[in-house]
Amino acid sequence: EAQVTQNPRYLITVTGKKLTVTCSQNMNHEYMSWYRQDPGLGLRQIYYSMNVEVTDKGDVPEGYKVSRKEKRNFPLILESPSPNQTSLYFCASSADGLFYGYTFGSGTRLTVV
Amino acid sequence: DAKTTQPPSMDCAEGRAANLPCNHSTISGNEYVYWYRQIHSQGPQYIIHGLKNNETNEMASLIITEDRKSSTLILPHATLRDTAVYYCIVRVGYSGYALNFGKGTSLLVTP
């Protein structure tokens, strides 16, 4: 089944403790991106990647890092999480961002205390 | 990307057609109309997209007016599982930039 898999689904962590949210897609898509969703603010893009080793900032990149060493994986790294990064995170991928739209993962609900 | 305007909420009876409007009066010639939906806290789901012709797939139909300033997403036989927030997005098709989801329309399908 074609899908984007995120892990973990739920995570509670403490301020300052580094964490990684993994994202993997099995569709050989070139484009991948990360979004966060907050009440009243909607979905906002954090980072995106157009191919292996090609990444760029989205609208809200502060406090996050990404890497794209392989086509299928696009992990989101929070080196020193803070409570304002408590949010619902989605990873998405697309073959070309044109004809087929984006496939989103099921989400990771992160709480930073 | 062009700005879109959608009603904040709509109701639809189960089994009836749900017609969700979207206004995009500032759309430019190379911008596509995309529709996504999000069922409570799940990942958004791509539904359909089009440039200027009407489009249909297994999920829905997209009707774009001749002047391209507005469009309508049609769910022909709405079910309870179609209750979701529906987002109309207008953007240049080939772009590495973000999808601007806006606030969307919250569709409630009732028995």
Side-chain angles (χ1 to χ4, degrees), chain B residues 10-21 35-39 45-48 55-63 71-87 105-110:
Chain B
M10 293 181 64
D11 293 344
C12 178
E14 188 178 20
R16 305 297 288 263
N19 297 286
L20 293 95
W35 283 85
Y36 285 77
R37 74 180 182 183
Q38 186 176 24
I39 298 170
Q45 178 186 24
Y46 164 80
I47 301 173
I48 199 167
E55 302 287 346
T56 296
N57 64 20
E58 64 277 5
M59 288 183 68
S61 295
L62 173 60
I63 308 298
S71 61
T72 301
L73 178 74
I74 301 172
L75 307 178
H77 305 288
T79 70
L80 299 179
R81 283 182 285 186
D82 292 321
T83 292
V85 178
Y86 288 77
Y87 298 96
T105 296
S106 179
L107 175 68
L108 176 64
V109 181
T110 56

Side-chain angles (χ1 to χ4, degrees), chain A residues 30-96:
Chain A
E30 290 190 351
Y31 289 82
M32 298 186 74
S33 61
W34 277 101
Y35 287 79
R36 61 177 289 175
Q37 185 170 30
D38 303 288
L41 297 175
L43 284 142
R44 296 177 292 169
Q45 190 182 59
I46 304 170
Y47 268 95
Y48 64 92
S49 168
M50 287 184 277
N51 214 324
V52 175
E53 303 292 0
V54 181
T55 63
D56 207 347
K57 298 177 181 178
D59 297 323
V60 289
E62 294 77 21
Y64 304 94
K65 284 177 58 177
V66 293
S67 68
R68 188 93 182 272
K69 293 185 170 56
E70 308 164 278
K71 201 171 191 178
R72 63 184 293 123
N73 296 322
F74 191 44
L76 180 69
I77 303 159
L78 286 73
E79 298 234 334
S80 183
S82 63
N84 65 11
Q85 292 178 299
T86 292
S87 187
L88 180 58
Y89 291 87
F90 292 104
C91 179
S93 75
S94 170
D96 61 2

